Amino acid sequence: MIDNSDTELLAIRKALGDNCRILICHWHILRAWRKQSMEKVFAKDGVRKTVAEIKAHRQEGLQGMIKMMMAGTKADYELCYLDFSSWCLDFDDEWDPSDLLVYFDCEYSNKKEKWSNTWRHQNLNIDTNNYIESWHHTFKESYLSTLKKQHVDVLVYILWDLVLRDVMEDHIKTTNHFQSIVMNASEKKRQRIAYRLSEQEA
């Protein structure tokens, strides 16, 4: 599971071939969609709208994309896409969200198998890579911060002799209730987001 990065996608394909299944993180997609809906959904020049009206209209566009993300079948996805494209193109004299459709078609339509629930099966309800990114940050800060040279043999030693031992020790303590799971504020926030995504999916 990766962010929506074409560079990463191509590198994985080059290294592992077409049989490697690639998913795109829902959390990163939603963050990008929220940003783009704010930048690409607006009232036409000369039309005055309240902040609440603009926010509500942008939310409509965002919800249109989320429906495609949560679609359960190909027919549902196609219907949601038609609704979204109609919403973007059948604009009136007050709104012009057509740039949002252009953005969506360029960045996401050709990758729908990697992010829409229609094609997203057997992923154990894991829809975000935030947990692994959090662990990677902890790994760099806690185990690699004092290293001047990060050779492969040193990294293997750290992973095998230090990280694995610590992870197993924490696992044993947690499963036997010797300690509770401790998360920092950032990890708690990511957990809440991950749970919300799973609830939306259900």
Side-chain angles (χ1 to χ4, degrees):
M1 187 176 296
I2 63 172
D3 304 350
N4 186 27
S5 167
D6 289 334
T7 303
E8 283 185 57
L9 200 153
L10 290 172
I12 292 170
R13 283 282 178 248
K14 186 174 182 181
L16 302 176
D18 293 333
N19 291 327
C20 175
R21 187 168 177 234
I22 300 173
L23 300 178
I24 300 176
C25 169
H26 278 181
W27 185 87
H28 286 89
I29 290 175
L30 290 171
R31 183 177 65 171
W33 285 354
R34 287 188 184 96
K35 180 176 182 291
Q36 293 299 324
S37 66
M38 291 177 65
E39 294 178 357
K40 296 183 172 16
V41 178
F42 49 86
K44 288 187 174 181
D45 290 341
V47 176
R48 305 184 76 175
K49 293 289 181 182
T50 65
V51 173
E53 287 174 323
I54 294 172
K55 185 177 180 180
H57 204 69
R58 288 171 175 168
Q59 187 65 23
E60 281 185 42
L62 177 61
Q63 286 302 316
M65 293 185 286
I66 290 175
K67 285 178 182 177
M68 285 182 277
M69 177 184 281
M70 299 303 169
T73 66
K74 292 181 182 179
D76 289 340
Y77 178 89
E78 294 299 331
L79 184 60
C80 291
Y81 177 79
L82 285 174
D83 288 344
F84 174 70
S85 58
S86 296
W87 182 87
C88 289
L89 295 175
D90 295 342
F91 49 84
D92 52 28
D93 294 334
E94 298 184 334
W95 300 97
D96 184 3
S98 57
D99 285 347
L100 188 63
L101 179 62
V102 173
Y103 159 77
F104 180 86
D105 284 342
C106 290
E107 295 293 329
Y108 292 97
S109 280
N110 61 342
K111 301 175 188 172
K112 58 183 179 286
E113 294 85 0
K114 296 175 179 61
W115 57 263
S116 175
N117 285 351
T118 301
W119 294 271
R120 201 177 183 106
H121 306 295
Q122 298 178 337
N123 61 320
L124 302 176
N125 290 322
I126 298 173
D127 290 310
T128 175
N129 59 3
N130 281 346
Y131 289 131
I132 194 66
E133 287 189 357
S134 176
W135 185 87
H136 185 243
H137 175 75
T138 301
F139 177 61
K140 289 194 298 183
E141 292 295 320
S142 301
Y143 295 93
L144 304 181
S145 60
T146 59
L147 289 182
K148 294 182 179 179
K149 295 182 179 180
Q150 297 178 9
H151 295 297
V152 173
D153 56 339
V154 177
L155 292 175
V156 170
Y157 163 76
I158 290 172
L159 285 168
W160 184 255
D161 274 16
L162 302 179
V163 176
L164 181 60
R165 182 189 63 201
D166 290 348
V167 169
M168 291 306 296
E169 184 178 316
D170 284 345
H171 174 70
I172 291 169
K173 287 180 179 178
T174 302
T175 54
N176 288 287
H177 306 291
F178 296 137
Q179 71 179 22
S180 58
I181 298 174
V182 178
M183 293 185 290
N184 60 35
S186 179
E187 289 170 331
K188 289 177 181 177
K189 180 180 179 182
R190 288 171 180 161
Q191 185 185 54
R192 288 195 300 271
I193 292 169
Y195 284 154
R196 282 201 298 270
L197 287 174
S198 296
E199 288 169 2
Q200 290 174 2
E201 188 177 90

